[in-house]
Amino acid sequence: MRPEVNAARRRPLGLIALLAVLLALLTVPAGPLTGAHAAACGTANAAQGRTATASSTENGSFAAANAVDGNTGTRWSSAFSDPQWIQVDLGGSQTVCEVVLGWEAAYAKAYQIQLSANGTDWTTVASTTTGAGGTETRAVSGTGRYLRVYGTTRATAYGYSLWELAVHTTDGGTGPVIPGGGDLGPNVLVFDPSTPGIQARLDQVFQQQESAQFGTGRYALLFKPGTYDNINANIGFYTSIAGLGLSPDDTTFNGDVTVDAGWFNGNATQNFWRSAENLALNPVNGTDRWAVAQAAPFRRMHVKGGLNLAPNGYGWASGGYIADSKIDGTVGPYSQQQWYTRDSSVGGWTNGVWNMVFSGVQGAPAQSFPNPPYTTLDSTPVSREKPFLYLDGNDYKVFVPAKRTNARGTSWGNGAPQGSSIPLSQFYVVKPGATAATINAALAQGLNLLFTPGIYHIDQTIDVNRANTVVLGLGLATIIPDNGVTAMKVADVDGVKLAGFLIDAGAVNSQVLLQVGPQGAAADHAANPTTVQDVFIRIGGAGPGRATTSMEVNSDDTVIDHTWIWRADHGAGVGWDTNPADYGLRVNGDDVLATGLFVEHFKKYDVQWSGESGRTIFFQNEIAYDAPNQAAIQNGATKGWAAYKVDDSVNSHEAWGLGSYCNFTTDPTIRMDHGFEVPVKSGIKMHDVLVVSLGGMGQYDHVINGTGSATSGTSTTPSTVVSFP
């Protein structure tokens, strides 16, 4: 492409032109519409957010998806030849009554609008040889799932270029359009440096949430860019704190973000369900305290000092997870039994108890498992950081970080982070009281989902069918299926991002709570995988809950980045037959990667892996405490169901830094043949694996299959295997 032409074609539309295109695409103009057609044609854009493909693209910046993203500042542009086409999958058969084309300067002089039921056999429903460019509205009449704009003659020497392609239908199109954007609801508290009484408001939320382990309160504490002095934000249950800058350093606390365990007599093993993200801290005494257990991510944080992961008094602690963070000083885990740190930078690391795992961490200790118990990978094979809300001027947007391969260090430390921004107007801002029907209508309309803090009871599955959809929760937003449905299903499409919410099983058994890809899914998503990040699943605890399988992953290349899948061992509605759940995570897709996998207390396999070429970096597990006797967990001729099972049919699998613990409180005489069960093949490789009997409450006979020494006595000493086979 000639440089001067390239520059001219990249010049943005003027404000008036952009508004004109947007108005044309969002409304049904007068003029060609008459009679029954005018009365029936809806105003909703059935193409927005749908899957679009094209015969070609000028380059990677001008993908077909840009023409259906609702953004009149992005576009599809083709190669410089005839013919060329762009098509969109409307998600189901639709009766199309109108198509609006927002052309860039490179437009079509001659083109056809075509419909198809199968994406192969096409029927032309409108055509012209005198296209004028600009915004063209074409009345059409036809039915199909796929719509194609087929260009045969270009008006310029360049390709075909569309800012937006809008499709209006009669199939429900006359119903109300669900608006995107809006306010964030009453449980999102937004502060700026001039806000009066910040500390008092933080203390008020903490007082309410400090010990509310199974309470109904949900809060997100959001801080606009700036500097905040004399802050000590204590973070309790179901509370998230985050900065609203594009970089953690945009929002600085001269103070602390603190989790301690005073509410539980200095025991931090139940400090669940909270988070800190996207802030810079100058700790008051030089070291911040983050004493947590599972489901408490510390993401995208910059601590300008040290970080203490143990409670005051150094009582028990059992966590946790750090990602995309920079800790200038030393991290002291002290009493923490296990921890996973990914794609970060630390000034030092002081000790380890059982299982400290690092991947892509600058400053991490060298590999030395089991003494000290450090498992260190130089990089993380595939990662994509969690989407996050931020302010661009006065406008809320969600930043979606780019995928990284072989990552090391933070995503934000070397200039502007790589990724894309989505305006809040392209999200349905879900608030308590919203129905599953409305949520699904918003998804079908092409919107992403932003769940505000709250509890959402649903009576039908939330269906995420569109590629690149973002489903983001704030303040541990909680989804409860009331009638045994699957809470959420994701189609076998590229690039869906699920992040930051909790699924709580309902009283009626669900066969699956979260399904990523339908059974039999086979599409390749290596270039743009679905990610599941800080998505937590709970069966019981807040009340009786039942599910056969908690999470089922069928789509290839999925990345599970930090989850805690928990069949409750305490709280309300807890008992061997009160909150039954057989399986925690079942993986059927190929090339699935899990980074930071916590799965506990299921009646059969906590993790069952059937897909090929799977990888896990860090696994923490406790076997179900409440098994009534040996017979209750007998698996054929095997004593106990392994915590982590790789099916015999699998030929390739690799895992690093895995631990399983038993604590059979009902019958301490129960024995497990092993914690891990895998086929013995050259492609199966397990690194740095341990089992532990907690105080002699049950025992393991081996670590993996028949390998590894048995646990014994009451000393809580791990049995380890450094490499298998």
Side-chain angles (χ1 to χ4, degrees):
M1 180 181 292
R2 291 172 295 177
E4 67 274 16
V5 174
N6 182 45
R9 294 191 64 210
R10 296 303 177 271
R11 188 164 53 243
L13 283 178
L15 179 61
I16 293 175
L18 271 172
L19 290 174
V21 171
L22 183 61
L23 182 64
L25 293 173
L26 296 179
T27 61
V28 180
L33 302 182
T34 59
H37 179 84
C41 205
T43 58
N45 180 4
Q48 184 171 324
R50 293 292 184 180
T51 299
T53 54
S55 53
S56 66
T57 56
E58 181 181 341
N59 61 51
S61 298
F62 304 107
N66 292 349
V68 293
D69 64 359
N71 182 351
T72 54
T74 62
R75 60 189 174 89
W76 163 68
S77 184
S78 78
F80 304 167
S81 62
D82 295 312
Q84 301 290 339
W85 53 262
I86 181 172
Q87 75 179 52
V88 58
D89 179 356
L90 301 176
S93 183
Q94 304 268 5
T95 301
V96 179
C97 47
E98 183 179 71
V99 175
V100 184
L101 304 169
W103 293 106
E104 195 249 357
Y107 65 96
K109 183 176 180 181
Y111 63 90
Q112 302 165 15
I113 296 173
Q114 302 172 326
L115 289 169
S116 172
N118 55 18
T120 302
D121 304 310
W122 296 94
T123 300
T124 298
V125 292
S127 64
T128 184
T129 58
T130 58
T135 300
E136 293 187 275
T137 302
R138 299 290 175 184
V140 302
S141 180
T143 300
R145 172 171 177 166
Y146 301 88
L147 182 138
R148 182 167 74 172
V149 179
Y150 189 84
T152 55
T153 306
R154 290 165 291 139
T156 73
Y158 307 105
Y160 298 86
S161 185
L162 278 170
W163 294 106
E164 283 294 297
L165 164 62
V167 178
H168 299 145
T169 72
T170 62
D171 299 301
T174 55
V177 176
I178 297 171
D183 70 88
L184 300 176
N187 293 331
V188 176
L189 309 182
V190 181
F191 304 94
D192 65 47
S194 65
T195 302
I198 294 176
Q199 188 63 55
R201 189 69 177 103
L202 296 177
D203 291 345
Q204 182 183 25
V205 172
F206 178 64
Q207 183 179 15
Q208 177 181 321
Q209 299 300 115
E210 179 183 12
S211 59
Q213 183 172 178
F214 299 109
T216 58
R218 303 286 187 274
Y219 289 94
L221 312 174
L222 305 182
F223 287 79
K224 295 181 180 180
T227 300
Y228 298 78
D229 294 325
N230 303 314
I231 293 291
N232 182 22
N234 282 290
I235 305 301
F237 286 100
Y238 313 109
T239 305
S240 298
I241 188 168
L244 286 170
L246 196 55
S247 165
D249 289 332
D250 293 339
T251 309
T252 298
F253 283 9
N254 290 318
D256 298 84
V257 171
T258 301
V259 176
D260 207 342
W263 74 277
F264 201 43
N265 300 315
N267 179 347
T269 60
Q270 293 184 22
N271 280 348
F272 313 136
W273 305 306
R274 63 199 75 199
S275 67
E277 302 182 51
N278 206 30
L279 293 164
L281 308 178
N282 287 305
V284 170
N285 67 357
T287 300
D288 191 60
R289 184 183 301 279
W290 186 256
V292 298
Q294 292 79 13
F298 197 81
R299 286 186 181 268
R300 203 176 177 83
M301 297 287 286
H302 185 186
V303 181
K304 299 178 180 181
L307 185 64
N308 187 336
L309 304 179
N312 186 23
Y314 301 94
W316 290 344
S318 180
Y321 175 92
I322 294 172
D324 202 27
S325 293
K326 185 175 189 292
I327 293 90
D328 294 346
T330 298
V331 179
Y334 302 108
S335 56
Q336 281 286 354
Q337 296 158 353
Q338 66 279 316
W339 198 276
Y340 175 54
T341 307
R342 178 183 63 71
D343 297 356
S344 293
S345 172
V346 299
W349 194 278
T350 57
N351 73 292
V353 177
W354 294 337
N355 195 25
M356 304 281 123
V357 180
F358 309 85
S359 67
V361 178
Q362 297 165 340
Q367 169 73 32
S368 57
F369 185 89
N371 188 26
Y374 298 145
T375 298
T376 302
L377 285 72
D378 185 68
S379 61
T380 305
V382 180
S383 56
R384 181 171 59 205
E385 300 305 328
K386 177 184 173 184
F388 61 92
L389 190 69
Y390 78 103
L391 275 172
D392 183 3
N394 293 319
D395 298 324
Y396 285 108
K397 295 181 178 179
V398 171
F399 189 78
V400 181
K403 187 191 82 167
R404 298 201 291 168
T405 55
N406 300 317
R408 180 172 171 81
T410 68
S411 68
W412 50 268
N414 297 310
Q418 298 298 303
S420 58
S421 292
I422 306 174
L424 194 63
S425 61
Q426 293 184 31
F427 283 80
Y428 173 44
V429 180
V430 192
K431 297 173 185 173
T435 64
T438 301
I439 293 168
N440 280 328
L443 287 168
Q445 188 178 298
L447 293 173
N448 303 288
L449 300 179
L450 181 70
F451 281 89
T452 64
I455 296 175
Y456 299 86
H457 289 267
I458 60 170
D459 59 0
Q460 59 181 261
T461 299
I462 297 172
D463 289 310
V464 183
N465 294 323
R466 190 181 68 256
N468 300 309
T469 300
V470 176
V471 180
L472 177 61
L474 301 179
L476 279 296
T478 302
I479 300 168
I480 304 175
D482 284 332
N483 55 353
V485 299
T486 296
M488 187 176 293
K489 291 183 178 180
V490 179
D492 192 26
V493 296
D494 276 355
V496 172
K497 294 93 180 171
L498 308 181
F501 56 90
L502 169 65
I503 296 175
D504 209 350
V508 178
N509 188 74
S510 295
Q511 286 299 310
V512 180
L513 289 171
L514 173 62
Q515 185 185 66
V516 180
Q519 292 185 1
D524 183 357
H525 306 293
N528 186 13
T530 285
T531 46
V532 182
Q533 300 177 284
D534 300 347
V535 173
F536 310 123
I537 297 179
R538 178 173 68 192
I539 298 94
R546 294 169 174 262
T548 303
T549 299
S550 295
M551 185 188 299
E552 179 180 279
V553 176
N554 299 309
S555 285
D556 292 351
D557 308 294
T558 299
V559 177
I560 306 166
D561 177 42
H562 190 225
T563 186
W564 184 38
I565 305 172
W566 184 57
R567 175 180 166 263
D569 61 279
H570 62 271
V574 170
W576 189 249
D577 296 315
T578 306
N579 62 328
D582 286 346
Y583 304 99
L585 170 66
R586 305 183 86 176
V587 178
N588 301 311
D590 295 339
D591 299 296
V592 172
L593 170 66
T595 54
L597 183 58
F598 299 75
V599 189
E600 298 187 301
H601 304 306
F602 287 86
K603 296 179 74 170
K604 293 184 178 178
Y605 295 126
D606 291 282
V607 171
Q608 183 177 17
W609 211 293
S610 303
E612 285 290 350
S613 301
R615 290 174 292 182
T616 295
I617 305 173
F618 183 89
F619 171 67
Q620 187 269 326
N621 166 262
E622 289 180 348
I623 299 296
Y625 287 175
D626 56 344
N629 49 51
Q630 186 75 50
I633 63 165
Q634 193 70 13
N635 179 14
T638 303
K639 296 195 295 278
W641 297 75
Y644 191 105
K645 163 69 173 177
V646 178
D647 282 353
D648 292 344
S649 61
V650 174
N651 295 306
S652 175
H653 188 91
E654 192 162 13
W656 298 261
L658 304 96
S660 177
Y661 323 140
C662 71
N663 182 35
F664 291 113
T665 54
T666 303
D667 182 359
T669 69
I670 293 175
R671 300 192 70 89
M672 298 275 294
D673 271 348
H674 41 241
F676 300 86
E677 183 178 329
V678 303
V680 181
K681 300 178 182 179
S682 60
I684 309 294
K685 300 175 182 178
M686 308 290 282
H687 311 276
D688 300 357
V689 187
L690 66 91
V691 294
V692 181
S693 169
L694 302 182
M697 303 295 284
Q699 302 290 343
Y700 296 88
D701 290 340
H702 302 284
V703 181
I704 306 176
N705 297 359
T707 298
S709 59
T711 59
S712 62
T714 61
S715 62
T716 313
T717 301
S719 294
T720 62
V721 168
V722 174
S723 182
F724 182 90

